[in-house]
Amino acid sequence: MYCEELFLILLVLIVKNKNTSEKCTSLHHINVLEGEPFHLKPCDISPSSHKNEALTIKWSKMNTLHDRIELDTSSSPRITSQGYSLEFWPVQLDDEGTYFSQVGNDEQNWTLTVIKRNEHSCFSGKLVYSRKVESKKLLHIPCEDSYYQKLINSTSLYKNCKKISPLKKNADPGDQGYYSCVLSIHHNGKQYNLTKTFNITIVEGHNNIIPVLLGPKLEHTEVELGKDVELNCSALLNEHDKFYWNIIKNDSLYPNVHEDKNVTTWISDGKLHASKILRIEKVTEKNLNFSYNCAVVNTEATDTKSFILFRKEMADIPGHVFTSGIIVAIFTSVAVVCLVIMCVIYKVDLVLFYRHLVERDETLTDGKIYDAFVSYLKDCHQENGEEHTFAVQTLPRVLEKQFGYKLCIFERDVMPGGAVVDEVHSLIEKSRRLIIVLSKSYMTNESRFELESGLHKALVERKIKIIIIEFMPVSDLTLLPQSLKLLKSYRVLKWKTNESLSYNSRFWKNLLYLMPAKAKPDGGDSETLPVLSVP
Ligand SMILES: *[C@@H]1O[C@H](CO)[C@@H](O)[C@H](O)[C@H]1NC(C)=O
Ligand SMILES: *[C@@H]1O[C@H](CO)[C@@H](O)[C@H](O)[C@H]1NC(C)=O
Ligand SMILES: *[C@@H]1O[C@H](CO)[C@@H](O)[C@H](O)[C@H]1NC(C)=O
Ligand SMILES: *[C@@H]1O[C@H](CO)[C@@H](O)[C@H](O)[C@H]1NC(C)=O
Ligand SMILES: *[C@@H]1O[C@H](CO)[C@@H](O)[C@H](O)[C@H]1NC(C)=O
């Protein structure tokens, strides 16, 4: 509010030229409208002379013929002298000319141009006061005149010569136009019009924002030497703010640095934004660790921002190499996983193949005599016949004849009589494996001793490894010694009469796998015997 009032006062001051005396005429070239009251008054009449009533003022006029004639103000009612003023009631076209006033030694002059009244307009274009009013600021047309103030009878306001009511409002673009204020003045019983016309132009208020650069004040940009780089500086600013990259143009030190001439602007949220690019072609060492500054400046504020280039740490992997790298890695891992799975599935075959390939032999240096001690049910009851045949005939046929192992089968290899317990004990100690042929009756049989003794060595002394062959399905496992259940399941082989006949069957491969590695004796019977003897 305060500002608006101040603006108004300023407007009045300009119109009235008030800083000299309100009644004095300071301009030297004056335009007046034909038919309006008018007056001239010299300025700076010294107070001493002012007080001295004896000092009189003399008026003279120089006409177009350059004759200077003293004016007789008492003879004409139209042109009168009032105090130190010369008044025209009203001014006429033939009043044009140069007027002189003389008070004592002080002489002043004015050149008067009388403008002919335009029949079609309420004012003359040559007699307007141009005023700019900011949009949204108070618009007020002052209708007053300090000299004739006491004589003013009424005032009326016209906009573009159409009468309007007195105006006091906030300006908008529609308010632009010519405002004529007509003061009705009475003098000597006559009415005169004094017209003042203002050419009002509405201007955009400069509601300047404080310009700012967007983003952090210091930005580090990774670059690769030899590549081009674009630094993008963006600002929130006013239309006429200065926005630039602070670089020396055509700098011979940095010939590869160019400020883009183009400024990209856009409006967002009703606010003006701009961005300007600094191009650095083929970045060199010199461009690194150097501060490139961008600035936005107006009369009220300044903002700057720095960009520093630094070398990219690692060599960049091009996109396609990266992608194919990932694909290769995936395929490799899938392949590895497959390989591991295959290895697990075909572990036994692989181990056997490996043993065969390197002719590995674990049996040479351990000082033992037998590769395996075979424990089975020794009583030849009818129901154990098959088991007996398997242990005494089939096992040796395959393991000894075909694969060159040396078995210890108590019934076959040990003479009857003697201390059975000691004998068994020492035989087991001389064997590398304990093969237990398991069947239902085994559990209840005396041979259980062998089992227990072997288990003791296997589990406590860790001297012998046990291989269990489930010859018949053992349903009631509760009969087995507790320790047997601790054996790893792969050490238990199931004999299947129908499927285990071939040497290539899983059963024999697994058995060979559990047996110690042994090089096959050379020139052994190359002829392959059937697993089961043909009855
Ligand atoms: C009024 O003001 C406008 C804008 O400032 C200007 O273009 C025009 O010439 C002015 N008119 C007169 C009669 O001075
Ligand atoms: C103007 O003033 C004069 C006397 O001062 C008066 O006679 C006249 O009626 C007034 N006119 C108007 C329109 O007020
Ligand atoms: C003064 O202006 C009024 C209208 O505003 C008009 O009626 C009147 O005749 C004018 N007087 C003179 C002397 O021009
Ligand atoms: C610069 O950044 C501004 C936004 O921050 C974006 O609008 C403009 O498109 C960018 N200019 C270039 C050339 O990338
Ligand atoms: C600037 O902009 C104009 C028009 O969009 C385009 O033709 C010109 O190439 C640009 N100049 C630069 C240096 O980008």
Side-chain angles (χ1 to χ4, degrees), residues 484-533:
L484 202 58
K485 292 177 192 161
L486 298 174
L487 279 177
K488 294 203 177 95
S489 63
Y490 71 85
R491 296 203 153 263
V492 180
L493 305 177
K494 285 193 171 68
W495 168 260
K496 288 173 186 147
T497 316
N498 298 331
E499 295 165 21
S500 306
L501 289 179
S502 159
Y503 291 116
N504 283 328
S505 69
R506 240 348 64 218
F507 176 80
W508 292 115
K509 281 184 177 171
N510 288 345
L511 183 56
L512 288 179
Y513 169 74
L514 294 176
M515 289 297 284
K518 186 159 193 164
K520 223 176 181 179
D522 280 335
D525 21 299
S526 51
E527 170 198 10
T528 318
L529 296 165
V531 171
L532 291 182
S533 56

Side-chain angles (χ1 to χ4, degrees), residues 125 128 130 132 178 199 201:
V128 296
S130 283
K132 287 192 167 73
Y178 297 97
N199 178 9
T201 310

Side-chain angles (χ1 to χ4, degrees), residues 192 216 241 243 257 261 263 274 285 296 304 311 333 381 389 396 409 423-424 446 508:
Y192 304 89
D241 291 354
F243 178 40
V257 179
K261 295 278 178 296
V263 180
E285 291 272 1
V296 64
T304 58
R311 197 198 304 244
S333 17
H381 294 304
T389 315
I409 304 171
E423 194 76 47
V424 167
E446 60 189 70
W508 292 115

Side-chain angles (χ1 to χ4, degrees), residues 34-288:
E34 170 198 8
E36 302 222 327
F38 174 70
H39 73 277
L40 286 173
K41 188 180 179 187
C43 296
D44 299 325
I45 299 167
S46 62
S48 60
S49 61
H50 190 75
K51 272 176 198 160
N52 193 342
E53 291 299 319
L55 275 182
T56 52
I57 185 163
K58 282 183 185 168
W59 290 97
S60 53
K61 180 191 175 187
M62 192 154 71
N63 63 18
T64 45
L65 299 171
H66 295 280
D67 299 323
R68 190 160 157 176
I69 306 158
E70 192 163 335
L71 289 174
D72 178 8
T73 52
S74 56
S75 65
S76 158
R78 195 175 63 83
I79 302 173
T80 62
S81 182
Q82 189 73 37
Y84 288 98
S85 299
L86 184 69
E87 293 182 348
F88 297 78
W89 294 103
V91 76
Q92 288 180 353
L93 281 177
D94 59 6
D95 290 331
E96 267 193 0
T98 305
Y99 290 82
F100 300 87
S101 71
Q102 192 165 13
V103 182
N105 296 325
D106 180 59
E107 191 183 80
Q108 294 184 26
N109 66 73
W110 302 265
T111 303
L112 199 64
T113 306
V114 181
I115 293 157
K116 196 169 161 32
R117 192 172 278 278
N118 183 345
E119 296 301 325
H120 308 290
S121 178
C122 62
F123 66 94
S124 161
K126 287 174 186 161
L127 257 178
V128 296
Y129 304 94
S130 283
R131 294 286 169 263
K132 287 192 167 73
V133 178
E134 273 184 37
S135 176
K136 299 194 181 76
K137 292 277 169 74
L138 185 70
L139 172 65
H140 174 61
I141 308 296
C143 275
E144 53 197 23
D145 186 287
S146 56
Y147 186 82
Y148 299 107
Q149 198 60 46
K150 285 173 190 147
L151 307 174
I152 292 174
N153 198 306
S154 67
T155 63
S156 41
L157 187 62
Y158 301 80
K159 182 185 176 186
N160 299 328
C161 296
K162 283 198 180 110
K163 187 159 185 176
I164 57 168
S165 48
L167 194 70
K168 199 165 190 178
K169 62 169 290 203
N170 288 335
D172 62 58
D175 292 329
Q176 192 152 304
Y178 297 97
Y179 290 83
S180 302
C181 185
V182 178
L183 308 173
S184 175
I185 295 168
H186 270 257
H187 176 73
N188 281 348
K190 275 193 179 168
Q191 191 230 341
Y192 304 89
N193 288 341
L194 180 63
T195 310
K196 294 184 175 194
T197 302
F198 301 91
N199 178 9
I200 300 289
T201 310
I202 308 296
V203 294
E204 266 310 308
H206 50 149
N207 310 319
N208 275 359
I209 56 155
I210 292 174
V212 284
L213 296 174
L214 307 179
K217 293 289 161 243
L218 177 62
E219 224 168 79
H220 286 98
T221 307
E222 265 191 343
V223 290
E224 264 183 81
L225 293 187
K227 291 257 166 90
D228 294 356
V229 69
E230 281 189 358
L231 302 179
N232 182 357
C233 185
S234 299
L236 178 66
L237 74 182
N238 304 292
E239 201 184 338
H240 298 293
D241 291 354
K242 287 198 178 112
F243 178 40
Y244 56 92
W245 279 95
N246 205 350
I247 55 158
I248 302 165
K249 310 271 182 307
N250 307 320
D251 187 354
S252 57
L253 258 183
Y254 301 101
N256 61 341
V257 179
H258 305 287
E259 180 184 18
D260 204 333
K261 295 278 178 296
N262 288 353
V263 180
T264 315
T265 59
W266 69 97
I267 308 276
S268 165
D269 292 335
K271 285 170 185 149
L272 182 65
H273 292 69
S275 73
K276 201 160 199 194
I277 302 291
L278 187 74
R279 275 177 229 287
I280 304 174
E281 291 160 359
K282 299 195 177 67
V283 173
T284 68
E285 291 272 1
K286 276 187 184 176
N287 300 119
L288 300 178

